[in-house]
Amino acid sequence: MKLPENFQVVTHPLIEHKLTYIRDIKTSKKEFKELVNEVAMLMAYEITKDMPLEEVEIETPICKTVSKVLAGKKLVLVPILRAGIGMVDGILKLVPSARVGHIGLYRDETTLKPVSYYFKIPSNCEDRDFILIDPMLATGGSAVYAANMLKDAGAKSIKFMCLIAAPEGVEKFCTAHPDIKVFAAALDEKLNEKGYIVPGLGDAGDRLFGTK
Ligand code: PRP
Ligand code: URA
């Protein structure tokens, strides 16, 4: 598969190592949740590397100096419910001042189409940088729908991050939203007949919240 220009796999030995245990069926719910947050934090280091800075004057115990802090409006993390929630705390450890919006969607089990039930994001979206978050990009239906909702609300600057992407989802999302850069920790083989990613990690929401 020729990868779209707006798609990037974030590679790092720690990410690959932790992802192996995230995939493993033997991993407990507690460990799964911890590992998902850790990988999200590691990915966020790469995803936020173009955040703008501004200079401020400070005084160290030695002298006055000019140093840099993050500039502009606060970043907004937008997890797609439910499973996206599992990645938020890890990112907030790096960027504690980020705001958090929520998009409630679930995938209809038969049609695999997203069904929307909640939407809440901070005001003044035009001036904010959004990171849309979901561990799984499978058919791409949910992520495309969520990005449409953000754009309809006025968001101009959006990135999308996931743990595992399927080729079908990458193609669908990157075609629908060529202006949104997509970051994944892994690009897997394919979808199975039920729309699950192969080899994947199973149902992300069920594994995070113990609902199966
Ligand atoms: C999962 C996942 C994504 C979606 C991906 O959520 O967290 O949101 O499926 O599939 P897609 O790319 O084919 O749309 P699910 O619909 O299972 O909802 P849940 O998190 O509430 O369990
Ligand atoms: N949603 C999941 O949670 N897992 C998949 O493999 C596909 C969609």
Side-chain angles (χ1 to χ4, degrees), residues 30 32 35 53 81 92 127 142 171 192 203:
K30 176 176 177 288
F32 184 87
L35 287 161
L53 293 167
L81 308 180
L92 283 175
D127 309 322
S142 305
E171 188 170 356
N192 70 12
D203 188 300

Side-chain angles (χ1 to χ4, degrees), residues 80-83 105-107 134-142 203 205:
I80 299 178
L81 308 180
R82 292 177 296 167
L105 291 180
Y106 70 87
R107 205 168 66 142
D134 195 318
M136 311 307 279
L137 180 64
T139 64
S142 305
D203 188 300

Side-chain angles (χ1 to χ4, degrees), residues 1-113:
M1 173 194 180
K2 187 177 178 306
L3 292 180
E5 276 180 17
N6 56 326
F7 177 75
Q8 180 184 333
V9 176
V10 181
T11 52
H12 191 286
L14 284 172
I15 292 179
E16 287 193 47
H17 174 84
K18 289 174 191 290
L19 200 52
T20 299
Y21 292 97
I22 287 174
R23 291 181 188 277
D24 193 333
I25 194 171
K26 294 196 296 295
T27 299
S28 70
K29 181 169 81 62
K30 176 176 177 288
E31 285 168 325
F32 184 87
K33 198 169 171 208
E34 288 166 0
L35 287 161
V36 166
N37 270 309
E38 286 168 15
V39 171
M41 180 165 64
L42 291 167
M43 291 180 73
Y45 183 75
E46 171 71 18
I47 294 167
T48 56
K49 76 176 183 196
D50 61 352
M51 280 172 86
L53 293 167
E54 66 188 6
E55 292 188 334
V56 291
E57 257 189 51
I58 55 161
E59 194 171 349
T60 74
I62 308 299
C63 66
K64 285 191 173 167
T65 188
V66 171
S67 194
K68 289 177 182 170
V69 293
L70 293 174
K73 292 262 186 178
K74 289 203 167 43
L75 189 67
V76 186
L77 310 180
V78 185
I80 299 178
L81 308 180
R82 292 177 296 167
I85 290 178
M87 298 167 71
V88 170
D89 284 350
I91 305 169
L92 283 175
K93 281 206 174 116
L94 280 189
V95 200
S97 63
R99 299 186 180 209
V100 182
H102 294 88
I103 296 182
L105 291 180
Y106 70 87
R107 205 168 66 142
D108 181 279
E109 278 182 19
T110 321
T111 65
L112 299 184
K113 299 271 179 275

Side-chain angles (χ1 to χ4, degrees), residues 141-204:
S142 305
V144 167
Y145 195 94
N148 283 337
M149 289 175 103
L150 285 181
K151 286 183 177 175
D152 288 347
K156 301 269 182 282
S157 163
I158 308 171
K159 292 172 181 167
F160 174 65
M161 71 184 286
C162 60
L163 295 187
I164 302 182
E168 294 88 335
V170 171
E171 188 170 356
K172 180 165 180 159
F173 189 92
C174 292
T175 305
H177 295 290
D179 55 317
I180 298 181
K181 181 134 191 213
V182 177
F183 298 85
L187 175 62
D188 275 11
E189 266 171 50
K190 58 178 182 183
L191 296 178
N192 70 12
E193 64 289 349
K194 289 187 174 160
Y196 279 88
I197 300 178
V198 180
L201 54 74
D203 188 300

